[in-house]
Amino acid sequence: MKNIFILVAGLFLGTTAYAQVPDNTFKATINGKEWQAKAQRLKIPVSDFNYLAIAGMEVNPDVQLWIRLYYFGELKPGTYPVLTMRELESKYEKAQELPNGYALVDYTEETKKMGHGFHDGESVSGTVTVTSVTNNSIEGTFDAKMKGVYYQKRAVATMSGYGLMANLEKKVITAAGGGMLVTGDPHDHDNTKKTKETDEITVTDGKFRVNWGETSKAEASKKK
């Protein structure tokens, strides 16, 4: 339990700052239903390129809507096309094709308690428009289409109870504002498997405003 909280503290720098900025929000219409949640910046270790991840996170039921921006140079206002992960990897190999950068928009919703089922949306297409960005804040709009996929608890894990403690620990993390994330990807669901059931998830009228406070000393020294 202690190690997990240490890991989360490393991944979620800026969560404390979030608590001091109550207007941090994600808003969107997801498959025709209005949705709003608290927003925060996710600090996930990535060294090969510039990367910014922000997400809206709702607790009970656990729902996350992610935006991940990949860019070279500085993150600037502008429109970033939403791609699939495979397309993003292909584009990254051809850096000269990056006008501003690219984005992923992903979704995950807990459909059964204690991690027994999830409905995820895998990034497909759309746009993310950054209207304002500073060293410690970002604001903009977005829309996206995602491939809907369903996960269910593996039969062996259900019968044996294996993974129950991990799920309990994740629920504690969720209550603390970390959502279902532990390893750095919205689609990492321990002891589950994808089913053959698929659908489409559409996000419209998306808006985000995230402020993670003053730039940390570590970040400031890294930029020098």
Short mmCIF file of all heavy atoms in Angstrom, two decimals, residues 66 68 81-87 103-107 120-126 144-147 187:
data_model
loop_
_atom_site.label_atom_id
_atom_site.label_comp_id
_atom_site.label_asym_id
_atom_site.label_seq_id
_atom_site.Cartn_x
_atom_site.Cartn_y
_atom_site.Cartn_z
N TRP A 66 -9.58 11.70 -20.91
CA TRP A 66 -8.20 12.14 -21.03
C TRP A 66 -7.97 12.92 -22.34
O TRP A 66 -8.54 12.58 -23.38
CB TRP A 66 -7.27 10.93 -21.10
CG TRP A 66 -6.94 10.26 -19.82
CD1 TRP A 66 -7.79 9.92 -18.81
CD2 TRP A 66 -5.65 9.80 -19.44
NE1 TRP A 66 -7.10 9.28 -17.82
CE2 TRP A 66 -5.80 9.19 -18.17
CE3 TRP A 66 -4.39 9.84 -20.05
CZ2 TRP A 66 -4.71 8.62 -17.49
CZ3 TRP A 66 -3.32 9.28 -19.37
CH2 TRP A 66 -3.49 8.68 -18.11
N ARG A 68 -4.31 13.85 -24.28
CA ARG A 68 -2.85 13.78 -24.26
C ARG A 68 -2.31 14.50 -25.50
O ARG A 68 -2.65 14.15 -26.62
CB ARG A 68 -2.38 12.33 -24.23
CG ARG A 68 -2.66 11.65 -22.91
CD ARG A 68 -2.19 10.21 -22.88
NE ARG A 68 -3.16 9.32 -23.49
CZ ARG A 68 -2.99 7.99 -23.58
NH1 ARG A 68 -1.89 7.43 -23.13
NH2 ARG A 68 -3.92 7.23 -24.12
N PRO A 81 -4.88 17.76 -34.31
CA PRO A 81 -5.75 16.67 -34.76
C PRO A 81 -5.66 15.46 -33.82
O PRO A 81 -4.59 15.12 -33.33
CB PRO A 81 -5.20 16.33 -36.15
CG PRO A 81 -3.80 16.83 -36.15
CD PRO A 81 -3.78 18.02 -35.25
N VAL A 82 -6.80 14.83 -33.59
CA VAL A 82 -6.86 13.63 -32.75
C VAL A 82 -6.62 12.41 -33.63
O VAL A 82 -7.22 12.26 -34.69
CB VAL A 82 -8.23 13.52 -32.06
CG1 VAL A 82 -8.36 12.19 -31.31
CG2 VAL A 82 -8.44 14.69 -31.11
N LEU A 83 -5.72 11.55 -33.19
CA LEU A 83 -5.36 10.36 -33.96
C LEU A 83 -5.60 9.10 -33.14
O LEU A 83 -5.87 9.17 -31.93
CB LEU A 83 -3.87 10.42 -34.33
CG LEU A 83 -3.35 11.65 -35.07
CD1 LEU A 83 -1.85 11.50 -35.30
CD2 LEU A 83 -4.07 11.84 -36.38
N THR A 84 -5.48 7.96 -33.79
CA THR A 84 -5.41 6.69 -33.06
C THR A 84 -3.98 6.55 -32.54
O THR A 84 -3.05 7.23 -33.01
CB THR A 84 -5.72 5.50 -33.97
OG1 THR A 84 -4.68 5.38 -34.96
CG2 THR A 84 -7.07 5.68 -34.67
N MET A 85 -3.79 5.67 -31.58
CA MET A 85 -2.44 5.46 -31.06
C MET A 85 -1.50 4.97 -32.16
O MET A 85 -0.34 5.39 -32.25
CB MET A 85 -2.49 4.43 -29.93
CG MET A 85 -1.11 4.09 -29.36
SD MET A 85 -0.25 5.53 -28.65
CE MET A 85 -1.05 5.57 -27.02
N ARG A 86 -1.99 4.11 -33.05
CA ARG A 86 -1.15 3.61 -34.13
C ARG A 86 -0.74 4.73 -35.07
O ARG A 86 0.42 4.82 -35.50
CB ARG A 86 -1.88 2.51 -34.91
CG ARG A 86 -1.09 1.91 -36.06
CD ARG A 86 -1.79 0.73 -36.68
NE ARG A 86 -1.89 -0.37 -35.73
CZ ARG A 86 -2.43 -1.55 -36.04
NH1 ARG A 86 -2.92 -1.77 -37.26
NH2 ARG A 86 -2.48 -2.51 -35.13
N GLU A 87 -1.69 5.61 -35.39
CA GLU A 87 -1.37 6.75 -36.26
C GLU A 87 -0.37 7.67 -35.58
O GLU A 87 0.54 8.20 -36.23
CB GLU A 87 -2.65 7.53 -36.59
CG GLU A 87 -3.59 6.81 -37.53
CD GLU A 87 -4.92 7.54 -37.70
OE1 GLU A 87 -5.33 8.26 -36.75
OE2 GLU A 87 -5.55 7.38 -38.75
N ALA A 103 -2.83 14.82 -30.90
CA ALA A 103 -3.50 14.55 -29.63
C ALA A 103 -4.16 13.18 -29.63
O ALA A 103 -4.52 12.64 -30.68
CB ALA A 103 -4.55 15.63 -29.35
N LEU A 104 -4.32 12.64 -28.43
CA LEU A 104 -5.14 11.47 -28.18
C LEU A 104 -6.25 11.89 -27.23
O LEU A 104 -6.02 12.65 -26.29
CB LEU A 104 -4.34 10.34 -27.53
CG LEU A 104 -3.17 9.74 -28.30
CD1 LEU A 104 -2.46 8.70 -27.43
CD2 LEU A 104 -3.64 9.11 -29.60
N VAL A 105 -7.45 11.41 -27.48
CA VAL A 105 -8.57 11.61 -26.54
C VAL A 105 -9.09 10.22 -26.17
O VAL A 105 -9.47 9.45 -27.06
CB VAL A 105 -9.69 12.46 -27.15
CG1 VAL A 105 -10.87 12.55 -26.18
CG2 VAL A 105 -9.19 13.87 -27.48
N ASP A 106 -9.06 9.89 -24.89
CA ASP A 106 -9.44 8.56 -24.42
C ASP A 106 -10.42 8.66 -23.27
O ASP A 106 -10.49 9.68 -22.56
CB ASP A 106 -8.20 7.79 -23.97
CG ASP A 106 -7.27 7.47 -25.12
OD1 ASP A 106 -7.45 6.43 -25.76
OD2 ASP A 106 -6.35 8.27 -25.39
N TYR A 107 -11.14 7.58 -23.06
CA TYR A 107 -12.22 7.56 -22.07
C TYR A 107 -12.23 6.21 -21.37
O TYR A 107 -11.93 5.18 -21.98
CB TYR A 107 -13.55 7.78 -22.79
CG TYR A 107 -14.78 7.72 -21.93
CD1 TYR A 107 -15.20 8.83 -21.19
CD2 TYR A 107 -15.57 6.57 -21.90
CE1 TYR A 107 -16.36 8.78 -20.43
CE2 TYR A 107 -16.74 6.52 -21.14
CZ TYR A 107 -17.13 7.63 -20.41
OH TYR A 107 -18.27 7.59 -19.66
N ASP A 120 -14.47 1.42 -22.23
CA ASP A 120 -13.41 2.36 -22.61
C ASP A 120 -13.66 2.93 -23.99
O ASP A 120 -14.30 2.30 -24.84
CB ASP A 120 -12.05 1.65 -22.62
CG ASP A 120 -11.48 1.49 -21.22
OD1 ASP A 120 -12.24 1.66 -20.25
OD2 ASP A 120 -10.28 1.19 -21.11
N GLY A 121 -13.12 4.10 -24.21
CA GLY A 121 -13.12 4.71 -25.53
C GLY A 121 -11.69 4.94 -25.98
O GLY A 121 -10.93 5.65 -25.31
N GLU A 122 -11.30 4.30 -27.09
CA GLU A 122 -9.95 4.42 -27.62
C GLU A 122 -9.92 5.49 -28.71
O GLU A 122 -10.73 5.48 -29.64
CB GLU A 122 -9.47 3.08 -28.18
CG GLU A 122 -9.40 1.99 -27.12
CD GLU A 122 -9.00 0.64 -27.70
OE1 GLU A 122 -9.00 0.51 -28.95
OE2 GLU A 122 -8.69 -0.27 -26.91
N SER A 123 -8.97 6.39 -28.61
CA SER A 123 -8.85 7.55 -29.51
C SER A 123 -8.92 7.16 -30.98
O SER A 123 -8.24 6.23 -31.42
CB SER A 123 -7.52 8.26 -29.22
OG SER A 123 -7.41 9.44 -29.96
N VAL A 124 -9.76 7.89 -31.75
CA VAL A 124 -9.88 7.64 -33.18
C VAL A 124 -9.70 8.92 -34.00
O VAL A 124 -8.82 9.01 -34.85
CB VAL A 124 -11.25 7.01 -33.53
CG1 VAL A 124 -11.43 6.91 -35.05
CG2 VAL A 124 -11.36 5.62 -32.91
N SER A 125 -10.54 9.93 -33.76
CA SER A 125 -10.46 11.14 -34.57
C SER A 125 -11.07 12.32 -33.81
O SER A 125 -11.70 12.15 -32.77
CB SER A 125 -11.20 10.95 -35.90
OG SER A 125 -12.58 10.71 -35.66
N GLY A 126 -10.89 13.52 -34.38
CA GLY A 126 -11.43 14.73 -33.77
C GLY A 126 -10.39 15.83 -33.75
O GLY A 126 -9.38 15.77 -34.47
N ALA A 144 -14.36 14.59 -30.21
CA ALA A 144 -13.66 13.36 -30.57
C ALA A 144 -14.63 12.21 -30.81
O ALA A 144 -15.75 12.19 -30.28
CB ALA A 144 -12.69 12.96 -29.46
N LYS A 145 -14.17 11.28 -31.61
CA LYS A 145 -14.84 10.00 -31.77
C LYS A 145 -13.87 8.93 -31.29
O LYS A 145 -12.68 8.98 -31.58
CB LYS A 145 -15.25 9.75 -33.22
CG LYS A 145 -16.42 10.61 -33.67
CD LYS A 145 -16.90 10.22 -35.06
CE LYS A 145 -18.12 11.05 -35.45
NZ LYS A 145 -18.64 10.67 -36.79
N MET A 146 -14.41 7.96 -30.56
CA MET A 146 -13.59 6.90 -30.01
C MET A 146 -14.21 5.54 -30.29
O MET A 146 -15.44 5.43 -30.40
CB MET A 146 -13.42 7.10 -28.50
CG MET A 146 -12.65 8.35 -28.12
SD MET A 146 -12.67 8.66 -26.32
CE MET A 146 -14.26 9.49 -26.16
N LYS A 147 -13.38 4.55 -30.38
CA LYS A 147 -13.85 3.18 -30.51
C LYS A 147 -14.18 2.68 -29.11
O LYS A 147 -13.31 2.64 -28.23
CB LYS A 147 -12.79 2.29 -31.15
CG LYS A 147 -13.20 0.82 -31.23
CD LYS A 147 -12.06 -0.05 -31.77
CE LYS A 147 -12.46 -1.53 -31.76
NZ LYS A 147 -11.36 -2.39 -32.26
N HIS A 187 -6.24 2.82 -20.14
CA HIS A 187 -6.78 1.51 -20.50
C HIS A 187 -6.07 0.35 -19.81
O HIS A 187 -6.24 -0.80 -20.21
CB HIS A 187 -6.72 1.33 -22.02
CG HIS A 187 -7.32 2.46 -22.79
ND1 HIS A 187 -8.62 2.88 -22.60
CD2 HIS A 187 -6.80 3.28 -23.73
CE1 HIS A 187 -8.89 3.91 -23.39
NE2 HIS A 187 -7.79 4.17 -24.08
#
